[in-house]
Amino acid sequence: DEGDAQAEGEKSLRQALALAREQEALGWELRCSLSLARTLRARGRDAEARELVHAVVAKFPPDENAFEVARAKDFLSSAASGA
């Protein structure tokens, strides 16, 4: 069932995110949060997706322009505009 597969995927992403946090691997935490946020957005949970990514982006210096940070900022911009 597609719903079961989506739920299992979300569970796996949450486990990966928890592991990244446990290991204090901020880059991986950002990647996991972006993947999970895309999943949440696809399921209509936009606010939760934005909050998740915003919380991780806030851990980076404001002038950080690494590729993944830029992708996260783009995600937040598109989420804010409703894209």
Side-chain angles (χ1 to χ4, degrees), residues 27-71:
W28 284 110
E29 183 179 350
L30 183 58
R31 283 183 173 204
C32 292
S33 71
L34 275 170
S35 294
L36 179 55
R38 286 187 197 99
T39 300
L40 294 171
R41 181 190 269 180
R43 298 179 86 187
R45 293 158 60 189
D46 293 346
E48 185 179 351
R50 282 191 306 273
E51 290 170 15
L52 178 68
V53 174
H54 185 312
V56 180
V57 169
K59 296 178 183 182
F60 286 87
D63 60 344
E64 179 66 54
N65 287 319
F67 179 72
E68 289 295 329
V69 175
R71 286 180 63 199

